Amino acid sequence: MNSFIQSIPVPLQSALLLVLSNVFMTFAWYGHLKNMASKPWFFAAIVSWGIALFEYLLQVPANRVGAQQMTVGQLKVMQEVISLSVFVPFAVFYLGQPFKLDYIWAALCLVGAAYFMFRA
């Protein structure tokens, strides 16, 4: 298993860990709006904190692995692109929010940010 993981390029390892991390992050930050709307805010905060633990268990290694070949700025921009890529389907399909054209414009801005951070 270790040799399989080591055969995956470092940026891809980091990206995959960040995708999983962002799934947990998105549920921690926004899942309570659907699942615990009738519960006191502090109960939702404690549950979200527990979910966020799993986010950090993936996010910290993602950044440590990624930092082997990428700058901190590149890692941050990659995380933001991934965050929006996870958030939009979550908002639309899980929370039932309407899809907005603003998501496209925000994504285009992040593509520009990624271009400037990753260009040679």
Side-chain angles (χ1 to χ4, degrees):
M1 180 80 168
N2 236 1
S3 62
F4 171 73
I5 292 172
Q6 291 173 344
S7 70
I8 300 171
V10 166
L12 184 56
Q13 287 181 40
S14 184
L16 292 172
L17 286 168
L18 285 172
V19 167
L20 294 172
S21 169
N22 272 271
V23 169
F24 283 104
M25 178 193 75
T26 303
F27 269 97
W29 284 25
Y30 304 104
H32 62 88
L33 297 174
K34 179 178 181 179
N35 298 329
M36 293 182 263
S38 63
K39 303 278 187 200
W41 72 265
F42 56 86
F43 180 79
I46 291 169
V47 170
S48 293
W49 191 32
I51 295 169
L53 169 65
F54 295 100
E55 174 211 349
Y56 279 93
L57 291 174
L58 294 164
Q59 176 267 332
V60 170
N63 285 330
R64 285 181 174 225
V65 167
Q68 295 174 25
Q69 293 183 6
M70 294 181 280
T71 67
V72 175
Q74 289 172 328
L75 283 167
K76 180 59 180 169
V77 169
M78 184 170 67
Q79 189 279 326
E80 293 300 335
V81 169
I82 290 169
S83 180
L84 186 62
S85 300
V86 169
F87 174 76
V88 171
F90 177 85
V92 172
F93 296 113
Y94 187 76
L95 293 178
Q97 298 290 307
F99 182 82
K100 295 182 177 184
L101 196 55
D102 290 343
Y103 294 148
I104 300 294
W105 302 130
L108 288 173
C109 289
L110 287 172
V111 167
Y115 168 76
F116 287 111
M117 290 307 290
F118 285 92
R119 69 182 173 157

